[in-house]
Amino acid sequence: MNINDYGFVRVAAATPKLKVADCDYNVYEMKSMIDEAVKNQVQIICFPELCITGYTCADLFFQTALLEKAKASLLEIASFMHDKPTIVAIVGLPIRKLNCLYNVAAVISSEGIVGMIPKTYIPNEGEFYEKRWFASGKDMENTTIVIGNEHIAFGTDILFETPFVTFGIEICEDLWMPIPPSSNLTLKGAELIFNLSASNELVGKHAYRRSLVAQQSGRCICGYIYTSCGVGESTTDLVFSGSRIIAENGSIIAESERFSLDNRMSINDIDLFALRHDRIKNANYLTPDQSTCQVLPCQIRPISADKIRRTINPFPFIPSKSEENERLFEVFNIQTHGLAKRLMHTGIKTVTIGISGGLDSTLALLVAIRAFDLLGIPRKNVYGITMPGFGTTNRTYNNAKELVTSLGATLLEIPISEAVELHFKNIGHDLADKNIVYENAQARERTQILMDIANKIDGLAVGTGNMSELALGWATYNGDHMSMYGVNTSVPKTLVKSLVRWIADTQMEDSSQNILHDILDTPFSPELLPADQNGNIAQITEDKIGPYELHDFFLHRMLRYGDSPSRIYYLSQFAFAEKYSAETILKWMKTFYRRFFTQQFKRSCMPDGPKVGSINLSPRGDWRMPSDASVAVWMDELLQM
């Protein structure tokens, strides 16, 4: 399987064992790591700053013997690379040009030395005195330098273009500057930045260095591969740890163990398609004049890999355990303050919420209670209305009543069966025909009650529907689809469940907590069809439309990254490898695309509601789509799988 066709490129940050000024030893270790990288199907490998000689050579950099040996070692590596067409190596060494000595990064492919990038910003303070040895390439125009018998491109304004990705290079201190060279390189087309570094360790420095790498990858919307020299460097004054960090668009996706005595390599697959998607969506990400930029072709053959070397999160909307408290607290507060602002603006001090005993209405009720507490309005002004119908089970009915009461809200019970039966009589519908009319009439009756009670008490009807339902159109038009303010409209189903569990465990007293946990264990169902003979829920939502965890994954990849069906299918098989077969995934993908395209008309007139994450289906926010758009292109691709 060619991962390049699916938008990935495999990179490695390498820290080899090293002896200061022993080029033969250093090259041997680098060659062994290149061999290892080839076995791991790495396509671009980056070594630390001045790795051929060692960074801490000090005045030995003035020695002709060392400089000539470094150049010969570079040629040795280039010769070693001739039979390795699937990988490019980036190495560091000192190079003399005319009357100056430069700290450079050399890019080597199977075709030879492609180009050299001199360091732009040379430190000369604290522990570093590089200006004693090296000149800056800052004001240098792109030129050439003779290495062996070849004229090699030399300069700071150079990009390297492979068949799959374009990359640029900066060196150590460059990253720490107000405007790093990578800022301009990425604007000119670099999708990856490789940083060859020699950053020593001090207490607290690693955290700052880590944040710099993550932030620069985010600002530049790029992959950022950082590698620093290891403990083999001289410890006369400093200690180096071999820090390696791979970041992608603001997130650290791979990180090294530091202070190792052995060769160490961090490998990851960068998601180029995701980066390109974010760049074209960012209207401020404009390409400046490229006339001064030299783009060098750099050949790499594609690789065939059984799997990708990165974690594909099957639950992209659910925060990790380490971030759970902070992220879920933010979501809950965004929802709460959205509703609170609407209440303050309108002067309304009462709300109605349809409480079914399911997760969505439970979350909406918890948000309303929190908003009323925030505004100092009595909880009794929250009217939780349970409206049992043909499919309501005792479990959900009792949970709905007990939850409203335990929270101190006002409970109203308004059965709808009689009213719906009268409606069926008036429109000539047979009660025995349990079709879509049978189901939707109940949903619309409930919405009418909520709206009318809201009018009666000078209140606002709070919607309960979530984003996953909006994506699939799993809502009755002008029924549960409609409200006066929808607090869950950008909260997907998988996040609803995580959020309710977090609220139950961290924000609630025992009396409400036990009820919430039983609601969490209740299957998803609209309960519009009669219960089975044992009184249990007969209509399971996920049996009809598919698992929400799959649909939320599809939705996230499609909207957040603009992924094609084939790419989503490819990633889904890694994300859900232990749970769903490829056939099952494909089946529900077809359902997802068919429903997503046919149900846009419901999203085009959805109520106001707060955006909580990176995706929102509101036509006033993130997603604008014609209701008549054809799904043919997407379905054709699915049919070819």
Side-chain angles (χ1 to χ4, degrees):
M1 188 175 292
N2 182 356
I3 68 169
N4 302 132
D5 288 345
Y6 289 98
F8 294 94
V9 63
R10 184 161 297 173
V11 300
T15 305
K17 292 188 290 185
L18 178 142
K19 292 183 179 179
V20 179
D22 189 340
C23 297
D24 287 338
Y25 178 88
N26 299 338
V27 167
Y28 176 84
E29 296 299 335
M30 291 164 65
K31 287 160 67 174
S32 72
M33 294 196 77
I34 292 171
D35 278 336
E36 181 185 352
V38 171
K39 291 178 183 177
N40 283 280
Q41 298 175 302
V42 171
Q43 295 180 285
I44 309 175
I45 183 171
C46 182
F47 290 95
E49 181 177 9
L50 295 169
C51 53
I52 287 179
T53 59
Y55 176 77
T56 52
C57 290
D59 283 357
L60 293 178
F61 285 126
F62 291 139
Q63 294 292 307
T64 301
L66 183 63
L67 297 178
E68 291 302 315
K69 182 62 177 179
K71 189 186 297 185
S73 298
L74 176 64
L75 291 170
E76 180 182 346
I77 296 173
S79 176
F80 175 75
M81 293 282 292
H82 281 168
D83 63 348
K84 296 172 178 58
T86 61
I87 192 169
V88 167
I90 307 170
V91 303
L93 73 158
I95 284 289
R96 184 175 64 192
K97 179 174 172 60
L98 299 178
N99 298 321
C100 294
L101 187 62
Y102 294 95
N103 175 346
V104 307
V107 175
I108 310 168
S109 74
S110 61
E111 296 180 315
I113 303 168
V114 181
M116 288 187 167
I117 308 296
K119 189 171 183 176
T120 298
Y121 294 100
I122 310 299
N124 196 40
E125 59 183 353
E127 307 91 345
F128 299 98
Y129 303 97
E130 279 188 46
K131 285 187 178 178
R132 179 180 176 91
W133 310 294
F134 298 111
S136 168
K138 183 177 181 181
D139 299 319
M140 174 188 296
E141 293 185 0
N142 290 345
T143 181
T144 61
I145 185 171
V146 177
I147 303 292
N149 297 319
E150 299 290 332
H151 287 266
I152 307 300
F154 189 96
T156 57
D157 206 1
I158 293 176
L159 297 178
F160 299 88
E161 186 176 63
T162 79
F164 318 114
V165 63
T166 299
F167 66 89
I169 293 171
E170 62 186 9
I171 302 175
C172 197
E173 185 80 1
D174 294 348
L175 172 63
W176 299 66
M177 293 298 101
I179 305 178
S182 53
S183 296
N184 287 320
L185 292 172
T186 51
L187 283 172
K188 293 179 180 181
E191 296 164 315
L192 303 182
I193 296 294
F194 291 89
N195 187 317
L196 297 76
S197 182
S199 183
N200 67 304
E201 291 302 325
L202 299 171
V203 175
K205 185 177 182 181
H206 178 65
Y208 183 65
R209 179 172 55 220
R210 190 176 185 273
S211 69
L212 280 178
V213 172
Q215 289 171 23
Q216 188 65 359
S217 75
R219 280 192 297 265
C220 294
I221 314 179
C222 72
Y224 199 103
I225 299 89
Y226 174 97
T227 184
S228 185
C229 54
V231 296
E233 292 285 356
S234 171
T235 58
T236 299
D237 294 302
L238 305 171
V239 171
F240 299 83
S241 71
S243 176
R244 298 179 308 283
I245 304 167
I246 301 177
E248 181 183 284
N249 201 7
S251 299
I252 303 292
I253 60 173
E255 198 168 3
S256 68
E257 168 197 353
R258 292 180 293 152
F259 299 106
S260 173
L261 296 176
D262 298 318
N263 290 337
R264 284 289 183 263
M265 181 160 37
S266 300
I267 302 173
N268 212 274
D269 293 339
I270 302 292
D271 191 342
L272 300 172
F273 283 5
L275 296 174
R276 291 166 187 169
H277 173 266
D278 281 10
R279 287 186 177 188
I280 63 172
K281 283 192 69 177
N282 189 333
N284 294 314
Y285 205 95
L286 304 176
T287 302
D289 180 16
Q290 292 183 308
S291 59
T292 62
C293 182
Q294 186 175 5
V295 181
L296 302 177
C298 187
Q299 292 302 314
I300 316 175
R301 289 185 188 172
I303 59 170
S304 179
D306 293 334
K307 61 181 181 179
I308 51 177
R309 294 285 292 263
R310 63 182 286 144
T311 300
I312 304 298
N313 183 5
F315 308 110
F317 294 111
I318 300 176
S320 64
K321 285 294 182 183
S322 63
E323 297 179 320
E324 185 177 70
N325 283 328
E326 179 182 357
R327 293 292 179 88
L328 295 181
F329 176 81
E330 285 181 332
V331 173
F332 192 35
N333 271 279
I334 291 170
Q335 291 179 279
T336 297
H337 283 76
L339 178 58
K341 171 60 181 177
R342 182 54 54 94
L343 295 173
M344 288 189 293
H345 174 70
T346 59
I348 289 174
K349 298 185 183 298
T350 54
V351 298
T352 62
I353 305 175
I355 307 300
S356 66
L359 278 175
D360 298 330
S361 62
T362 295
L363 178 57
L365 177 61
L366 295 171
V367 168
I369 291 295
R370 177 71 174 269
F372 275 57
D373 288 349
L374 179 68
L375 297 175
I377 304 173
R379 290 186 177 188
K380 67 180 182 179
N381 286 19
V382 176
Y383 285 72
I385 306 175
T386 182
M387 296 166 281
F390 302 134
T392 303
T393 60
N394 288 333
R395 180 181 187 180
T396 56
Y397 172 66
N398 290 327
N399 278 339
K401 292 197 304 179
E402 291 173 9
L403 180 63
V404 173
T405 302
S406 72
L407 292 172
T410 297
L411 173 67
L412 294 181
E413 182 178 346
I414 306 175
I416 66 167
S417 296
E418 185 177 344
V420 174
E421 288 178 11
L422 177 60
H423 178 62
F424 287 164
K425 180 180 178 181
N426 290 336
I427 67 173
H429 181 74
D430 185 355
L431 181 62
D433 186 358
K434 296 177 176 57
N435 62 3
I436 192 170
V437 176
Y438 181 92
E439 295 186 35
N440 284 351
Q442 297 174 72
R444 292 194 178 100
E445 178 63 23
R446 286 173 172 140
T447 298
Q448 176 179 251
I449 290 169
L450 291 169
M451 295 282 189
D452 291 346
I453 295 292
N455 290 158
K456 182 179 178 181
I457 62 176
D458 294 323
L460 178 147
V462 174
T464 63
N466 65 68
M467 185 169 67
S468 304
E469 293 173 342
L470 283 166
L472 296 165
W474 192 249
T476 299
Y477 191 82
N478 205 34
D480 53 314
H481 153 261
M482 192 49 61
S483 67
M484 298 174 184
Y485 193 77
V487 294
N488 295 339
T489 53
S490 69
V491 183
K493 194 74 168 186
T494 50
L495 182 56
V496 170
K497 192 166 189 175
S498 294
L499 189 53
V500 170
R501 189 179 303 279
W502 176 81
I503 295 170
D505 293 343
T506 65
Q507 311 289 308
M508 293 288 109
E509 298 177 353
D510 290 344
S511 58
S512 299
Q513 192 177 74
N514 294 332
I515 303 168
L516 291 173
H517 278 287
D518 192 61
I519 291 172
L520 283 161
D521 293 336
T522 303
F524 300 141
S525 173
E527 291 195 322
L528 296 173
L529 296 178
D532 64 21
Q533 59 185 6
N534 298 317
N536 297 319
I537 294 171
Q539 186 183 21
I540 306 298
T541 298
E542 292 182 302
D543 290 346
K544 178 72 174 178
I545 61 172
Y548 274 117
E549 61 189 11
L550 281 179
H551 289 309
D552 282 357
F553 184 85
F554 303 155
L555 180 67
H556 184 262
R557 296 304 314 187
M558 178 188 178
L559 266 63
R560 175 63 185 84
Y561 299 113
D563 282 346
S564 65
S566 59
R567 190 166 128 94
I568 296 175
Y569 178 59
Y570 173 72
L571 297 176
S572 298
Q573 292 176 73
F574 292 114
F576 297 99
E578 299 179 1
K579 192 165 186 179
Y580 299 108
S581 67
E583 293 76 17
T584 299
I585 292 170
L586 185 57
K587 170 188 172 181
W588 293 122
M589 278 190 72
K590 291 176 181 177
T591 298
F592 171 81
Y593 278 101
R594 178 178 56 80
R595 294 193 66 95
F596 188 86
F597 274 78
T598 59
Q599 302 294 301
Q600 172 62 28
F601 71 99
K602 295 177 183 176
R603 300 187 290 269
S604 294
C605 59
M606 59 185 281
D608 290 355
K611 178 180 178 180
V612 303
S614 60
I615 294 174
N616 184 21
L617 290 171
S618 169
R620 298 168 299 278
D622 285 355
W623 188 249
R624 295 167 180 83
M625 172 181 169
S627 298
D628 306 315
S630 171
V631 70
V633 170
W634 291 262
M635 292 303 292
D636 286 348
E637 188 170 325
L638 285 170
L639 291 173
Q640 293 173 18
M641 295 180 195

